[in-house]
Structures are given as C-alpha cells and as structure tokens.
Amino acid sequence: MDYLTTRGLVLRTTEYKETDRILTVLSADHGLLTMKARGVRSNRSKLKGACQLLTYAEFTVGEAHGFSSITEATAIEMFPELRMDIELLALASYFAQLAEVLSQEDAASPALLPLIAPAYCEYSVMDTSDTQPETVLPLPVTLSVTPVPVMPPT
C-alpha cells in the first residue's frame, strides 16, 4: 500500500455510515482530495480534531478498496475564533466553497491555498460587530471575484 503525506485545508465534510466521514481537502501540491476518515465520529477517535471543517492539517493517506483513507492526521491550525462568530464562520464557509469550485481534483493548485489559509488567520482576529458586510470581503478582489454587496432592507 502506498502512502501519501500532505498538508491541506478541510473544505467540506460529509457524514458517512455510522462513525465515518468523507472529507474534501484542498492541498497545495495535490489539489482537491477526497478521503475517508474511518471512525472519526466516535468519541475515542485520534483523528477527530484534524478532520473538522475549516481545519488546516497534515494528513497521511493510504489507498484501500479503491478509496483514499486517512491513517494519520495532525491539526496544524484549527482557527477557533472562526467558530465563535457566526458571521466569520459564514464568511469562511463561503471561501471554502469558492476554493472548492476554483480547484480541480488531483490537480495541484499552489496559488489557491496560500490565499485562503492566511485569509482565515486574518478573519479569525477580525471584529465584525461594527463592520459593514461589503468591507469584510477583501479576498474575492484578490481572486478577481466581485462580491455582491448586501444591502439592508429598507
């Protein structure tokens, strides 16, 4: 069995069977990777922290039964501040979806991950309590995507 070790950002998680989870991970050197985290939803799982949504981690992946399966994972940055503020969580989720759309499966995307991960670091220390929605989105300008300003109802 060949093993692959890579660092990546968990963009999406999908519940699978009773204790498993399917992860979509953006890696700079391998692009989008879909991998199965076996038993990660059980209380005793050692993979649990590294396999959460919006976590930057190092994964060791092996091929088993035609599917990539995580054998080892270590969280590098979990961005806890993003999970405390609903607006920041929504913003981070938006960028995760954007990154998933802009990248390809098994095709290196060295330019995309260095844009997304530092933005999460910047957003995790941002105070959104007095910020207008259109000023919270500087990253789409970098990606040449123009956000539609959210206007309050009149």
Side-chain angles (χ1 to χ4, degrees):
M1 177 187 296
D2 291 334
Y3 291 98
L4 166 75
T5 300
T6 187
R7 290 180 174 204
L9 182 67
V10 179
L11 300 179
R12 182 168 32 128
T13 63
T14 306
E15 309 300 323
Y16 181 71
K17 295 191 178 178
E18 195 170 315
T19 60
D20 299 346
R21 188 175 280 158
I22 305 292
L23 306 180
T24 302
V25 176
L26 177 64
S27 170
D29 49 350
H30 298 286
L32 273 183
L33 297 170
T34 302
M35 50 186 85
K36 181 163 65 169
R38 299 191 54 165
V40 75
R41 292 170 51 200
S42 70
N43 291 334
R44 298 181 300 166
S45 175
K46 293 180 182 180
L47 303 175
K48 197 170 201 155
C51 295
Q52 293 183 30
L53 185 65
L54 306 177
T55 299
Y56 184 68
E58 182 171 83
F59 298 97
T60 302
V61 183
E63 193 76 25
H65 306 290
F67 208 90
S68 298
S69 195
I70 299 171
T71 58
E72 189 177 321
T74 306
I76 297 169
E77 179 62 54
M78 297 183 71
F79 309 106
E81 296 83 5
L82 292 179
R83 292 173 172 81
M84 300 299 210
D85 186 343
I86 190 72
E87 290 177 2
L88 289 177
L89 182 60
L91 183 63
S93 297
Y94 167 76
F95 287 125
Q97 289 178 349
L98 185 63
E100 190 174 352
V101 168
L102 293 175
S103 55
Q104 296 178 1
E105 189 89 22
D106 296 326
S109 47
L112 190 56
L113 188 60
L115 288 175
I116 299 293
Y120 283 176
C121 290
E122 183 178 322
Y123 292 144
S124 66
V125 295
M126 181 183 288
D127 179 22
T128 60
S129 60
D130 59 346
T131 308
Q132 294 297 319
E134 55 271 5
T135 62
V136 179
L137 299 173
L139 185 63
V141 175
T142 307
L143 296 175
S144 300
V145 176
T146 306
V148 177
V150 179
M151 304 304 277
T154 55

